[in-house]
Amino acid sequence: MQEGNLNINEYEAPLRVGVSYAEIIIPAALPKNYTWSVPAHLTESVKVGCRVEVNLGKSKKYAGIVKHLTNEKPAFIETKDILNVLDNEPVVFEQQLKLWEWIAAYYMCTEGEVMAAALPAHFKLSSETILVYNEEFGDDFSTLDHDEYLVGEALLIKKELKLTEVQQVLDSSHVYPVINRLINKKVCFVWEALKQTYSPKKEIYVLLNKQYDNEDKLADLLNNWTRAPKQMELLLSYLHLMKTEGEVLKSSLLKKSGASDAQLKGLVEKDILYTEKRNVDRIQYLPKNVQIDFELTAAQQKALGEVQESLQSKDVCLLHGVTSSGKTNIYIKLIEKHIKEGKQVLYMLPEIALTSQVIRRLQKHFGGYIGIYHSKFSQNERVEIWNKVKNGDLRIVLGARSSVFLPYQNLGLIICDEENDTSFKQQEPAPRYNGRDAAIYFATLFSAKVLLGSGTPSVESYYNASTGKYGLVELLQRYGDLKLPAIEFIDTRKVIQKDKEGKIQQGKIILSPGLIAAVNEVIARGKQVILFQNRRGYAPYSVCSVCGWIPQCKYCDVSLTFHKLSNKLICHYCGTTYPPVHSCAACGSDKFVQRNFGTEKIEEQLQEIFPDAKVARMDIDTVRGKNAHDVLIQQFEQKRIDILVGTQMVVKGLDFDNVDLVGILDADGLLYFADFRVNERAFQLMEQVSGRAGRKPSYVETAEGRRDTALVLVQTSQPHHPLLQIVQQHDYKMMFAEELKKRKEFFYPPFSRIIQLTFKHKIKEVVERAAHIYTEALKKNYASYIVGPAEPVIGRIRNQYLMELLLKLPRDSKTILQCKQDLLEQVAILHQNKSFRSVTVVADVDAV
């Protein structure tokens, strides 16, 4: 067996004689894992990776994961017994447990917090769990045992039960096995599943009574039918569906025939048809096959060879391929190789919106070998995918950052596309891990390889590649030898904006005359337009024109964004909604001016200016449903949308053949942030969004000859800004060189590692004192590495005042490890002071 692969038979072996203690991870933020004793009657059934029921404190119960077994009694504590074993076989493997441990240590959180993030909700029962009755199950409890029946009957009456209520019903504190069986039988589900769209797992199939398998009897039935013509139509529809589809769903039959339930019931009562309820997968999979029907170009083939050669000697390779160079085709060839070797492949993308387009491409080539995993799936669907990955049914997983937690058995390759994207970094809550970096560590546990891909790599990754830590392959030629689109600037200082009455308007330019003319010309040619603005809503803020008062959130120090469609003011930090403000709270005036603009306002103006064009918007407000983003993308692919306006969602990796014009409406908004990565991020966003244009040949004939029509228009008041000049040349290496020079001068990554500490408290003076006292204690050993403490740009969120402290540490693993230990120790010391016990300290390692 290859080093790093899992010997499942060995891993699932029962406890050895004499092993009587288990270190168990529970889904809670405990600084250390607790140890429980293994009672003699459970010795054979407790295995590493299985869930067990344990008691913490006087009455709090959890379903924990067994991490380690030992015969050494822990010092200084009296251990409690494990109450029950919930699984016959492990739900996670050894590699997952090692990943959890690494994430907890590296990102300064607890293994319980990692467990809570990693496992689907149905695996994380605790005594605060609420069980909800599954209406789809019905009231037939004949398959339930005595205890299951008692709980099922109580759920049927009350519809939901707390764990303590289940204990009262059964007159026992050991209820986890019963609950587990009820969940598996779909009698109930845990409350967390209600946050997602619940899809029933059972479907009703319609079948022909076996006596009519005889063609003569069936012909006799049809020829001698004398009454109930609607039932006859229904039967004929059934026979047609049976011939074309093989199996007939009740819902499909009633829809096709236009019949009612009563008419179907009539055929069932006559013993002509009968119904059968069956378990089905919530997610439908295609037949498993590998079919690669394309050849790589010479440039792509060369890049593939270089990637394979690089991965012979390096564990990680960076593929720097310009937009539309065909990186996905290279990924597909690598996936094919690993699938044929019997390996599993993880294909990571930063945004859920990207998965729909890529999944269609990959399904075409790999059929049912591939599955998707991300947060939009219901908890029931996540459990199904989890189990299919664990038993090896799914060989390719396409997913966002959370897909790194799945229980792979034989991982051979991880592809991390758009590796520079900040969406790979979890922000809230803990663990604040980077999916890309976690994947690189995870791969080492299988001796697997990692391919990072991007048209605009992160400065850190490109630095690692250029210094030899990673392999580096560059694909700087677009597919079909297409040129990168021309970029032109529109100087908004020279644009005079007028209203419908011809009066000059103040404020930011939304759609300049030059951009409007370009959109008209492109639509007239039957081509499509993408417009990018990195703000959602209608107006980011309104200001009283008399006194300058701005409506703000009660709980955050931010202005409220007006959303016209819902007619509400919304705080984009805490989500609180308010009715629109019509009079100034300071001076009573009703004269408000809306400042800046979001995607909703752009959409409205586009509909006014281009009434015949089909306009759509793509931001978090329009793609909330599980399939909403896929529907929108398919509509754009099918040319049912002429102009698509959106936030970062339209920037990343989407492949549209018919886009000839991209407009960046407010480049200034990308260039002025208090962040050392501001130029890198602005370049990446503008370069990525410009890459959506001209992905297929498109020309017009002019007096001067044939002209490439792909164009990017950038609205800015600073057309001579140095970064914009670099963007115009599509010169990633110049941006990298300029950034590297500044990062070295100011000791920022990649020359240092940063840890950001955020202090939170409801009283401003308390959080300020806590931050300063904490900083003074650190200065003894880390004075030269500390920046702050200081109040952030937004000083209060969710009624918690904030202070930030930044540490820029040398890239020395011993120093970093010691510093993390010291930081956690100082947090403990701070909390011993009664005045600061309620101050929350959040550590963000490698903050982005």
Side-chain angles (χ1 to χ4, degrees), residues 517-529 610 613 642:
V519 171
N520 265 320
E521 191 265 332
V522 167
I523 292 174
R525 286 192 283 106
K527 295 291 184 176
Q528 292 168 295
V529 178
F610 308 103
D642 298 312

Side-chain angles (χ1 to χ4, degrees), residues 314-327:
K314 308 275 187 186
D315 291 332
V316 183
C317 178
L318 173 64
L319 174 60
H320 174 209
V322 297
T323 54
S324 194
S325 58
K327 295 187 290 295

Side-chain angles (χ1 to χ4, degrees), residues 40 370 408 459 503 563 571 658 663 709:
I370 186 166
Y408 304 92
V459 168
K503 294 178 181 177
H563 287 247
C571 174
N658 202 46
T709 56

